[in-house]
Amino acid sequence: MSTNTDQSTDDGALADRSLLDRLRSSQFLSNLLSNRLAIIGLTIILGMLAVAIIARVSYDLSALRASNLGTVGDRLAPGWAGSGGATQHLFGTDAAGRDIFKRTLYGAWIAIKYGTVTVAASTFLGVALGIIAAYYSDLTDNVIMRTMDVLLAFPSLLLALALVAIFGAGLWKVVIALTLVYTPRFARVVRGAALKVLEDEYIEATEALGATDARVLARHVFPNTLAPVTVQSTLNYGLAIIDFAALSFLGFGAAPGVPSWGLMLSNGVTNGLLTGKWWMSLFPGLFLAILVLGFNLLGDGMRDALDPRMREAVD
Amino acid sequence: MASKRFILKRLLLLVPVLFGVATFVFVILHLASGDPARVILGQRAPQQQVIQLRQELGLNDPVYVQYARFLVDAAQFDFGQSYSVAQGTAVRSVLADKIPVTLELALYGQAIGILLGIPLGVISAVEQDTLTDHFGRIGALSGISVPIYWSGPLLILAFSTFLGVFPASGRIESTIFLADSWSLFGVTLPLTGMLTVDTLLLGNVSAWVSAVMHLILPAATIGIYSMALISRMMRSSMLEVVRQDYMRTARAKGQGSKITIMKHGFRNALVPVITVIGIQFGSLLGGAVLTETVFGIEGIGTILVSAINANDYPLVQGTVLTFALLFTLVNLLVDVTYSYLDPRIQQ
């Protein structure tokens, strides 16, 4: 390990550690970048983000929602899929004569937008609660973690449904419900990581030097929980997108006509399943699955990069 | 061996959690926007009637009285009567009807997942970094990335709409009527509510075939997801175990690698996988809600969705509590099994 030159600050001796962390994180980054699957995952996510932004900029939401019955044929097959198809509709049309291609692309924007808010909010809440639970006394710890235990006693989609029963339907209400569903997972991970750091002697030393609670938590505990939290967030992103669409699929998320993937799939089941209108189900689901796969690939790669043992060959 | 003390401790830890769960379920009714009396009587009922019903339902009592009453009732699994979805029927009997339906679906799905997932995971680990492994891993990762409400419709389109091999919805041919009970040596016994079992108990082979045919697609939908999760866990668990010293010792003794892997590796690798199977049972129950919706199966999941739509609070409360209870009990079972397989965990 290299020597530390910056001895002048009050916790200068501790800078050694952050240097070590920096080394470790660059190790993490190089592990990650050498992981081909993780790179594929990242590429998928960035590609989908580009699609989402382009769709958001070029399409008008109210036009996508409006019914075209009377002007455009309903449930037209894609033009390339044999005769009788609509050539100008790449993914065909739905039961209201709306273009599934445009709606599917716009769905990427909806999924990413609400998914990001959900993951960001539950990460923030979980980190705050987890750190507080780890740092403060038994009582605070117990109150927070037992509440988390109760929330974890429900299967996640069921808890989300129960919360929707309280809040009512709607995209933002679904975001709130899912945030509450995911927060306990983050709180658990963070509390575990924070407890491990708090055992280290240097925390005691910092406190002895007169650092405030806030400083210890922000400067020493929080940075050490970042790695596990990032992995958890990435893996949770995929789940958030699936659950978010699931609630729209069940009829509690997007309002009628909104091009959310979940709602489009629900329309596909109601209006196209028995009559064989496969394009209504295929395309929105395909985009959804690809995006989720992207997050899972990246999340897996990050986890492997954090714990390189898993990559070693068997002796 | 799992000690009695450990089981007792786990059971005691369950009490505050179940108490919290019950409290949350109580809160659902009181935070939700609709007035239960209004929901029961409909929008056009005169105000006088609503006030009277509120009194009868005990909604005017102080909250702590209602809370205490709810806890006592919930402990007896009594949630009152359904408002609208199963109008006037006791929630308890609705649940008794529907739980076997969902459980049957979840169990068959889980069985498919375990039977396929474990061997796939082992193969992937044994053949680490070969083409087989890469396919296995990407397949498993895709499996958990595909939502049930997409794989279900695709299976219906392929095997029902286009190939016509399996029925698209329902649990059994609508022309088949089953008796309410069966008898063994002259004793009349109740049925289980699981059609694949009941039809056998009744000795009706064609009905059994129909029930199985109806169950294959929904169970496969859940099974694919479960298989992907289990094989991923099995693979990494196997890789972890293979690195242990006792594996090297076994090899050094001259034991063949295949035997070592099966005899020492497999058993030890299975332990963490059991935990995953348990934890995963929760997402499986969530999956059952979606699968039931896709396949038009009237289980506890579709009931919950209709109950939320109709503001049928007693039914929502009963269903949610049942799901939490099932989930918690399975987790308890997993902990006990785990401690049996790996006694160190008890410390």
Side-chain angles (χ1 to χ4, degrees):
Chain A
M1 194 170 55
S2 61
T3 49
N4 171 39
T5 51
D6 178 22
Q7 297 285 347
S8 57
T9 53
D10 58 340
D11 43 1
L14 310 172
D16 255 358
R17 187 178 173 94
S18 61
L19 189 69
L20 189 69
D21 277 346
R22 239 175 290 154
L23 278 176
R24 215 187 283 148
S25 64
S26 72
Q27 174 71 33
F28 168 72
L29 215 60
S30 75
N31 276 339
L32 186 63
L33 289 174
S34 63
N35 185 329
R36 225 178 306 153
L37 291 180
I39 296 300
I40 296 176
L42 191 63
T43 314
I44 291 176
I45 295 168
L46 293 177
M48 201 61 92
L49 182 65
V51 166
I53 293 172
I54 292 170
R56 171 70 180 78
V57 174
S58 29
Y59 302 139
D60 174 28
L61 181 60
S62 53
L64 290 183
R65 289 183 65 173
S67 166
N68 291 329
L69 284 180
T71 49
V72 183
D74 68 309
R75 291 183 271 179
L76 293 175
W80 45 268
S83 60
T87 37
Q88 66 277 41
H89 301 291
L90 196 58
F91 291 174
T93 63
D94 69 7
R98 293 175 296 215
D99 183 78
I100 293 181
F101 177 72
K102 287 181 190 169
R103 287 169 61 79
T104 301
L105 297 198
Y106 201 93
W109 170 255
I110 292 182
I112 292 176
K113 173 181 161 193
Y114 292 96
T116 305
V117 176
T118 307
V119 173
S122 45
T123 306
F124 177 79
L125 272 179
V127 168
L129 288 173
I131 287 184
I132 291 171
Y135 192 69
Y136 289 102
S137 67
D138 278 355
L139 182 66
T140 318
D141 184 17
N142 265 319
V143 169
I144 293 177
M145 293 321 287
R146 293 300 79 77
T147 312
M148 298 295 119
D149 281 351
V150 169
L151 292 178
L152 285 168
F154 295 92
S156 59
L157 188 67
L158 270 308
L159 179 60
L161 280 172
L163 290 168
V164 165
I166 298 177
F167 302 145
L171 288 175
W172 285 112
K173 287 172 180 167
V174 167
V175 168
I176 297 174
L178 288 179
T179 301
L180 291 175
V181 171
Y182 299 140
T183 298
R185 299 166 187 228
F186 285 99
R188 262 201 184 170
V189 170
V190 171
R191 179 175 172 273
L195 279 178
K196 226 190 239 167
V197 186
L198 285 167
E199 274 173 12
D200 284 357
E201 279 174 11
Y202 83 100
I203 295 285
E204 223 170 293
T206 323
E207 284 172 334
L209 284 169
T212 59
D213 283 1
R215 184 173 169 81
V216 172
L217 291 182
R219 184 134 165 69
H220 301 288
V221 179
F222 173 66
N224 280 290
T225 61
L226 271 182
V229 164
T230 315
V231 176
Q232 178 77 14
S233 298
T234 313
L235 289 171
N236 216 89
Y237 227 120
L239 198 63
I241 286 170
I242 285 192
D243 284 349
F244 178 77
L247 287 163
S248 283
F249 179 80
L250 292 172
F252 300 113
V258 172
S260 137
W261 287 335
L263 192 56
M264 294 173 76
L265 283 169
S266 167
N267 290 337
V269 168
T270 326
N271 300 320
L273 217 48
L274 300 178
T275 43
K277 315 283 188 220
W278 50 269
W279 54 92
M280 292 180 72
S281 293
L282 182 68
F283 297 111
L286 186 64
F287 272 62
L288 171 54
I290 289 174
L291 179 58
V292 173
L293 181 65
F295 280 112
N296 285 338
L297 283 169
L298 183 64
D300 261 20
M302 286 167 101
R303 194 176 42 200
D304 287 350
L306 268 187
D307 182 14
R309 285 179 316 148
M310 298 311 297
R311 294 291 316 150
E312 277 167 23
V314 190
D315 50 336
Chain B
M1 214 15 227
S3 69
K4 283 194 189 110
R5 236 185 100 209
F6 174 74
I7 298 179
L8 199 70
K9 211 175 110 192
R10 276 299 276 105
L11 278 174
L12 280 177
L13 279 175
L14 215 65
V15 175
V17 170
L18 287 180
F19 187 73
V21 166
T23 308
F24 174 77
V25 168
F26 172 76
V27 166
I28 292 180
L29 178 73
H30 288 264
L31 287 187
S33 49
D35 175 357
R38 204 25 105 188
V39 173
I40 296 174
L41 294 170
Q43 288 307 322
R44 264 173 283 170
Q47 189 62 23
Q48 190 54 41
Q49 238 178 321
V50 174
I51 292 170
Q52 199 189 336
L53 187 61
R54 280 188 67 84
Q55 189 64 36
E56 281 169 26
L57 290 172
L59 290 168
N60 293 333
D61 296 341
V63 172
Y64 62 87
V65 174
Q66 296 188 45
Y67 179 51
R69 199 163 44 213
F70 174 80
L71 287 183
V72 172
D73 288 348
Q76 303 164 52
F77 227 71
D78 177 8
F79 301 97
Q81 295 178 347
S82 159
Y83 292 166
S84 48
V85 174
Q87 206 163 10
T89 319
V91 168
R92 187 167 31 189
S93 66
V94 177
L95 292 176
D97 261 8
K98 301 300 177 193
I99 289 173
V101 178
T102 303
L103 221 49
E104 182 179 41
L105 181 60
L107 287 176
Y108 279 94
Q110 183 75 288
I112 293 176
I114 293 173
L115 289 178
L116 297 178
I118 288 183
L120 278 178
V122 173
I123 293 170
S124 215
V126 173
E127 313 265 313
Q128 194 192 10
D129 288 333
T130 63
L131 202 62
T132 319
D133 180 30
H134 291 316
F135 272 118
R137 288 184 74 189
I138 293 174
L141 205 58
S142 309
I144 61 165
S145 305
V146 169
I148 275 176
Y149 46 87
W150 187 49
S151 53
L154 290 188
L155 284 176
I156 292 179
L157 281 167
F159 292 101
S160 183
T161 312
F162 291 120
L163 294 177
V165 188
F166 299 111
S169 68
R171 299 176 66 210
I172 197 162
E173 204 67 51
S174 54
T175 51
I176 294 174
F177 290 98
L178 296 174
D180 296 341
S181 59
W182 65 297
S183 55
L184 188 67
F185 305 123
V187 187
T188 310
L189 296 165
L191 288 168
T192 60
M194 299 189 187
L195 285 181
T196 53
V197 178
D198 289 349
T199 47
L200 282 185
L201 293 178
L202 292 167
N204 189 339
V205 176
S206 63
W208 180 77
V209 171
S210 170
V212 170
M213 292 299 269
H214 278 79
L215 195 61
I216 287 179
L217 286 186
T221 307
I222 294 186
I224 292 171
Y225 179 77
S226 156
M227 170 187 82
L229 262 180
I230 292 174
S231 81
R232 267 161 66 85
M233 191 60 204
M234 192 68 213
R235 177 183 181 273
S236 58
S237 178
M238 269 309 260
L239 290 179
E240 182 77 26
V241 166
V242 166
R243 279 202 303 269
Q244 302 293 321
D245 289 339
Y246 56 76
M247 293 294 282
R248 199 173 306 138
T249 311
R251 290 292 303 280
K253 283 193 305 186
Q255 202 170 54
S257 70
K258 288 263 155 57
I259 299 176
T260 316
I261 283 169
M262 290 328 289
K263 204 169 157 189
H264 300 279
F266 181 68
R267 231 196 96 149
N268 287 304
L270 211 53
V271 177
V273 174
I274 287 174
T275 320
V276 169
I277 292 175
I279 293 169
Q280 188 226 342
F281 191 75
S283 47
L284 216 78
L285 289 175
V289 175
L290 294 163
T291 313
E292 285 170 12
T293 309
V294 172
F295 288 91
I297 296 170
E298 281 247 328
I300 188 172
T302 35
I303 281 284
L304 175 61
V305 172
S306 331
I308 294 176
N309 274 324
N311 290 337
D312 194 337
Y313 301 118
L315 200 51
V316 174
Q317 289 180 316
T319 325
V320 169
L321 200 73
T322 306
F323 269 118
L325 199 64
L326 270 176
F327 188 39
T328 312
L329 287 179
V330 170
N331 279 344
L332 174 72
L333 205 68
V334 167
D335 274 4
V336 173
T337 319
Y338 199 119
S339 78
Y340 172 74
L341 291 169
D342 186 354
R344 282 171 304 179
I345 206 77
Q346 293 184 34
Q347 265 103 57

